mmCIF file of all heavy atoms in Angstrom:
data_model
loop_
_atom_site.group_PDB
_atom_site.id
_atom_site.type_symbol
_atom_site.label_atom_id
_atom_site.label_comp_id
_atom_site.label_asym_id
_atom_site.label_seq_id
_atom_site.Cartn_x
_atom_site.Cartn_y
_atom_site.Cartn_z
ATOM 1 N N VAL Z 80 -5.110 -9.987 12.143
ATOM 2 C CA VAL Z 80 -5.559 -9.007 11.172
ATOM 3 C C VAL Z 80 -5.594 -9.652 9.800
ATOM 4 O O VAL Z 80 -4.627 -10.289 9.372
ATOM 5 C CB VAL Z 80 -4.641 -7.772 11.167
ATOM 6 C CG1 VAL Z 80 -5.041 -6.816 10.046
ATOM 7 C CG2 VAL Z 80 -4.688 -7.077 12.511
ATOM 8 N N LEU Z 96 -5.772 4.797 -11.174
ATOM 9 C CA LEU Z 96 -6.468 3.750 -10.442
ATOM 10 C C LEU Z 96 -6.434 4.083 -8.959
ATOM 11 O O LEU Z 96 -5.493 4.725 -8.487
ATOM 12 C CB LEU Z 96 -5.822 2.383 -10.643
ATOM 13 C CG LEU Z 96 -6.100 1.595 -11.919
ATOM 14 C CD1 LEU Z 96 -5.221 0.342 -11.933
ATOM 15 C CD2 LEU Z 96 -7.564 1.214 -12.014
ATOM 16 N N SER Z 103 -9.654 -6.266 8.841
ATOM 17 C CA SER Z 103 -10.567 -6.771 9.853
ATOM 18 C C SER Z 103 -10.136 -6.301 11.233
ATOM 19 O O SER Z 103 -9.023 -5.808 11.428
ATOM 20 C CB SER Z 103 -10.605 -8.295 9.810
ATOM 21 O OG SER Z 103 -9.353 -8.845 10.184
ATOM 22 N N TRP Z 109 -3.767 0.773 15.440
ATOM 23 C CA TRP Z 109 -2.488 0.420 16.037
ATOM 24 C C TRP Z 109 -1.417 0.104 14.990
ATOM 25 O O TRP Z 109 -0.261 -0.125 15.362
ATOM 26 C CB TRP Z 109 -2.639 -0.802 16.948
ATOM 27 C CG TRP Z 109 -3.524 -0.574 18.144
ATOM 28 C CD1 TRP Z 109 -4.187 0.567 18.485
ATOM 29 C CD2 TRP Z 109 -3.825 -1.532 19.153
ATOM 30 N NE1 TRP Z 109 -4.891 0.387 19.647
ATOM 31 C CE2 TRP Z 109 -4.689 -0.899 20.078
ATOM 32 C CE3 TRP Z 109 -3.447 -2.852 19.367
ATOM 33 C CZ2 TRP Z 109 -5.174 -1.556 21.201
ATOM 34 C CZ3 TRP Z 109 -3.939 -3.516 20.483
ATOM 35 C CH2 TRP Z 109 -4.796 -2.864 21.384
ATOM 36 N N PHE Z 115 3.155 -2.225 -1.047
ATOM 37 C CA PHE Z 115 4.317 -2.775 -1.722
ATOM 38 C C PHE Z 115 3.880 -3.318 -3.074
ATOM 39 O O PHE Z 115 2.694 -3.539 -3.311
ATOM 40 C CB PHE Z 115 4.963 -3.888 -0.885
ATOM 41 C CG PHE Z 115 5.528 -3.414 0.419
ATOM 42 C CD1 PHE Z 115 4.707 -3.181 1.511
ATOM 43 C CD2 PHE Z 115 6.889 -3.197 0.555
ATOM 44 C CE1 PHE Z 115 5.224 -2.741 2.716
ATOM 45 C CE2 PHE Z 115 7.421 -2.755 1.757
ATOM 46 C CZ PHE Z 115 6.589 -2.525 2.838
ATOM 47 N N ARG Z 116 4.842 -3.543 -3.957
ATOM 48 C CA ARG Z 116 4.515 -4.127 -5.248
ATOM 49 C C ARG Z 116 5.607 -5.088 -5.683
ATOM 50 O O ARG Z 116 6.757 -4.968 -5.282
ATOM 51 C CB ARG Z 116 4.301 -3.044 -6.314
ATOM 52 C CG ARG Z 116 5.532 -2.222 -6.651
ATOM 53 C CD ARG Z 116 5.161 -1.055 -7.559
ATOM 54 N NE ARG Z 116 6.330 -0.295 -7.974
ATOM 55 C CZ ARG Z 116 6.274 0.834 -8.673
ATOM 56 N NH1 ARG Z 116 5.093 1.331 -9.043
ATOM 57 N NH2 ARG Z 116 7.400 1.464 -9.010
ATOM 58 N N LYS Z 121 11.086 -10.020 -10.085
ATOM 59 C CA LYS Z 121 11.725 -8.996 -9.271
ATOM 60 C C LYS Z 121 11.331 -9.148 -7.805
ATOM 61 O O LYS Z 121 10.340 -9.798 -7.473
ATOM 62 C CB LYS Z 121 11.355 -7.600 -9.759
ATOM 63 C CG LYS Z 121 11.723 -7.323 -11.204
ATOM 64 C CD LYS Z 121 11.537 -5.862 -11.571
ATOM 65 C CE LYS Z 121 12.538 -4.980 -10.861
ATOM 66 N NZ LYS Z 121 12.428 -3.555 -11.303
ATOM 67 N N GLU Z 124 8.983 -4.605 -3.576
ATOM 68 C CA GLU Z 124 9.556 -3.311 -3.279
ATOM 69 C C GLU Z 124 8.554 -2.392 -2.594
ATOM 70 O O GLU Z 124 7.345 -2.462 -2.815
ATOM 71 C CB GLU Z 124 10.099 -2.639 -4.548
ATOM 72 C CG GLU Z 124 9.037 -2.253 -5.563
ATOM 73 C CD GLU Z 124 9.611 -1.487 -6.741
ATOM 74 O OE1 GLU Z 124 10.829 -1.214 -6.748
ATOM 75 O OE2 GLU Z 124 8.838 -1.168 -7.666
ATOM 76 N N SER Z 130 1.170 6.747 8.608
ATOM 77 C CA SER Z 130 1.174 6.620 10.055
ATOM 78 C C SER Z 130 -0.175 6.153 10.573
ATOM 79 O O SER Z 130 -1.172 6.113 9.853
ATOM 80 C CB SER Z 130 1.553 7.956 10.699
ATOM 81 O OG SER Z 130 0.604 8.959 10.372
ATOM 82 N N ASN Z 132 -2.358 7.499 12.582
ATOM 83 C CA ASN Z 132 -3.438 8.481 12.541
ATOM 84 C C ASN Z 132 -3.611 9.136 11.172
ATOM 85 O O ASN Z 132 -4.488 9.986 10.997
ATOM 86 C CB ASN Z 132 -3.239 9.556 13.604
ATOM 87 C CG ASN Z 132 -1.976 10.373 13.405
ATOM 88 O OD1 ASN Z 132 -1.291 10.259 12.396
ATOM 89 N ND2 ASN Z 132 -1.660 11.201 14.390
ATOM 90 N N GLY Z 133 -2.786 8.749 10.210
ATOM 91 C CA GLY Z 133 -2.907 9.261 8.862
ATOM 92 C C GLY Z 133 -2.259 10.601 8.603
ATOM 93 O O GLY Z 133 -2.366 11.126 7.490
ATOM 94 N N ASN Z 137 5.063 8.376 3.682
ATOM 95 C CA ASN Z 137 6.389 8.192 3.122
ATOM 96 C C ASN Z 137 6.228 7.474 1.790
ATOM 97 O O ASN Z 137 5.404 6.560 1.678
ATOM 98 C CB ASN Z 137 7.266 7.388 4.084
ATOM 99 C CG ASN Z 137 8.724 7.347 3.677
ATOM 100 O OD1 ASN Z 137 9.219 8.268 3.038
ATOM 101 N ND2 ASN Z 137 9.420 6.286 4.054
ATOM 102 N N ASP Z 140 10.843 6.967 -4.146
ATOM 103 C CA ASP Z 140 11.152 8.028 -5.106
ATOM 104 C C ASP Z 140 10.444 7.806 -6.445
ATOM 105 O O ASP Z 140 10.058 8.770 -7.117
ATOM 106 C CB ASP Z 140 12.657 8.116 -5.334
ATOM 107 C CG ASP Z 140 13.410 8.683 -4.148
ATOM 108 O OD1 ASP Z 140 12.779 9.329 -3.286
ATOM 109 O OD2 ASP Z 140 14.636 8.481 -4.078
ATOM 110 N N THR Z 147 -0.704 8.625 -3.995
ATOM 111 C CA THR Z 147 -1.077 9.164 -2.693
ATOM 112 C C THR Z 147 -1.670 8.056 -1.836
ATOM 113 O O THR Z 147 -2.634 7.408 -2.238
ATOM 114 C CB THR Z 147 -2.099 10.303 -2.819
ATOM 115 O OG1 THR Z 147 -1.565 11.344 -3.643
ATOM 116 C CG2 THR Z 147 -2.429 10.875 -1.442
ATOM 117 N N THR Z 156 -9.875 1.027 6.457
ATOM 118 C CA THR Z 156 -9.461 0.927 5.064
ATOM 119 C C THR Z 156 -8.295 1.861 4.769
ATOM 120 O O THR Z 156 -8.272 3.007 5.241
ATOM 121 C CB THR Z 156 -10.626 1.247 4.114
ATOM 122 O OG1 THR Z 156 -11.717 0.364 4.393
ATOM 123 C CG2 THR Z 156 -10.206 1.066 2.667
ATOM 124 N N VAL Z 157 -7.341 1.377 3.984
ATOM 125 C CA VAL Z 157 -6.250 2.194 3.477
ATOM 126 C C VAL Z 157 -6.348 2.209 1.957
ATOM 127 O O VAL Z 157 -6.768 1.217 1.344
ATOM 128 C CB VAL Z 157 -4.877 1.669 3.965
ATOM 129 C CG1 VAL Z 157 -4.612 0.260 3.459
ATOM 130 C CG2 VAL Z 157 -3.760 2.613 3.551
ATOM 131 N N TYR Z 158 -5.970 3.329 1.347
ATOM 132 C CA TYR Z 158 -6.099 3.518 -0.084
ATOM 133 C C TYR Z 158 -4.757 3.874 -0.710
ATOM 134 O O TYR Z 158 -3.863 4.404 -0.055
ATOM 135 C CB TYR Z 158 -7.078 4.650 -0.394
ATOM 136 C CG TYR Z 158 -8.441 4.483 0.225
ATOM 137 C CD1 TYR Z 158 -8.734 5.078 1.447
ATOM 138 C CD2 TYR Z 158 -9.435 3.741 -0.398
ATOM 139 C CE1 TYR Z 158 -9.986 4.935 2.029
ATOM 140 C CE2 TYR Z 158 -10.686 3.589 0.172
ATOM 141 C CZ TYR Z 158 -10.955 4.185 1.386
ATOM 142 O OH TYR Z 158 -12.196 4.040 1.958
ATOM 143 N N ASP Z 168 4.979 0.642 -13.678
ATOM 144 C CA ASP Z 168 4.183 0.452 -12.475
ATOM 145 C C ASP Z 168 3.477 -0.903 -12.458
ATOM 146 O O ASP Z 168 2.869 -1.266 -11.442
ATOM 147 C CB ASP Z 168 3.138 1.556 -12.330
ATOM 148 C CG ASP Z 168 3.752 2.927 -12.125
ATOM 149 O OD1 ASP Z 168 4.733 3.035 -11.353
ATOM 150 O OD2 ASP Z 168 3.251 3.895 -12.720
ATOM 151 N N VAL Z 171 1.959 -6.780 -9.082
ATOM 152 C CA VAL Z 171 0.960 -7.119 -8.079
ATOM 153 C C VAL Z 171 1.190 -6.199 -6.889
ATOM 154 O O VAL Z 171 2.307 -6.116 -6.373
ATOM 155 C CB VAL Z 171 1.045 -8.589 -7.647
ATOM 156 C CG1 VAL Z 171 0.049 -8.883 -6.533
ATOM 157 C CG2 VAL Z 171 0.793 -9.506 -8.835
ATOM 158 N N TYR Z 185 10.629 0.488 5.535
ATOM 159 C CA TYR Z 185 10.277 0.201 4.155
ATOM 160 C C TYR Z 185 10.640 -1.214 3.715
ATOM 161 O O TYR Z 185 10.396 -1.578 2.567
ATOM 162 C CB TYR Z 185 10.923 1.211 3.204
ATOM 163 C CG TYR Z 185 12.408 1.405 3.403
ATOM 164 C CD1 TYR Z 185 13.323 0.546 2.826
ATOM 165 C CD2 TYR Z 185 12.889 2.466 4.172
ATOM 166 C CE1 TYR Z 185 14.683 0.724 3.015
ATOM 167 C CE2 TYR Z 185 14.249 2.652 4.361
ATOM 168 C CZ TYR Z 185 15.138 1.783 3.776
ATOM 169 O OH TYR Z 185 16.487 1.964 3.957
ATOM 170 N N GLU Z 189 9.665 -6.406 7.744
ATOM 171 C CA GLU Z 189 9.248 -5.833 9.023
ATOM 172 C C GLU Z 189 7.739 -5.842 9.221
ATOM 173 O O GLU Z 189 7.267 -5.540 10.315
ATOM 174 C CB GLU Z 189 9.766 -4.403 9.149
ATOM 175 C CG GLU Z 189 11.289 -4.292 9.115
ATOM 176 C CD GLU Z 189 11.954 -4.999 10.276
ATOM 177 O OE1 GLU Z 189 11.363 -5.040 11.375
ATOM 178 O OE2 GLU Z 189 13.072 -5.515 10.091
ATOM 179 N N TYR Z 190 6.984 -6.183 8.206
ATOM 180 C CA TYR Z 190 5.528 -6.122 8.281
ATOM 181 C C TYR Z 190 4.936 -7.444 8.733
ATOM 182 O O TYR Z 190 5.404 -8.521 8.342
ATOM 183 C CB TYR Z 190 4.945 -5.664 6.942
ATOM 184 C CG TYR Z 190 5.136 -4.184 6.759
ATOM 185 C CD1 TYR Z 190 6.368 -3.666 6.392
ATOM 186 C CD2 TYR Z 190 4.095 -3.290 7.001
ATOM 187 C CE1 TYR Z 190 6.562 -2.298 6.270
ATOM 188 C CE2 TYR Z 190 4.283 -1.927 6.871
ATOM 189 C CZ TYR Z 190 5.515 -1.435 6.509
ATOM 190 O OH TYR Z 190 5.698 -0.075 6.389
ATOM 191 N N TYR Z 192 1.453 -8.464 8.697
ATOM 192 C CA TYR Z 192 0.317 -9.031 7.991
ATOM 193 C C TYR Z 192 0.279 -8.525 6.565
ATOM 194 O O TYR Z 192 0.638 -7.376 6.286
ATOM 195 C CB TYR Z 192 -0.997 -8.682 8.705
ATOM 196 C CG TYR Z 192 -1.030 -9.125 10.141
ATOM 197 C CD1 TYR Z 192 -0.808 -8.225 11.172
ATOM 198 C CD2 TYR Z 192 -1.272 -10.458 10.467
ATOM 199 C CE1 TYR Z 192 -0.826 -8.633 12.496
ATOM 200 C CE2 TYR Z 192 -1.289 -10.871 11.785
ATOM 201 C CZ TYR Z 192 -1.063 -9.957 12.795
ATOM 202 O OH TYR Z 192 -1.081 -10.367 14.108
ATOM 203 N N GLN Z 195 -3.670 -10.468 -0.087
ATOM 204 C CA GLN Z 195 -3.406 -11.434 -1.155
ATOM 205 C C GLN Z 195 -2.872 -10.790 -2.422
ATOM 206 O O GLN Z 195 -2.366 -11.492 -3.307
ATOM 207 C CB GLN Z 195 -4.690 -12.214 -1.475
ATOM 208 C CG GLN Z 195 -5.669 -11.523 -2.418
ATOM 209 C CD GLN Z 195 -6.376 -10.318 -1.813
ATOM 210 O OE1 GLN Z 195 -6.348 -10.104 -0.602
ATOM 211 N NE2 GLN Z 195 -7.019 -9.519 -2.663
#
Side-chain angles (χ1 to χ4, degrees):
V80 174
L96 281 174
S103 66
W109 296 0
F115 295 79
R116 65 188 184 186
K121 302 189 68 175
E124 67 175 358
S130 62
N132 63 8
N137 189 29
D140 289 342
T147 302
T156 303
V157 62
Y158 305 95
D168 295 318
V171 176
Y185 51 84
E189 299 297 327
Y190 284 77
Y192 303 101
Q195 83 290 346

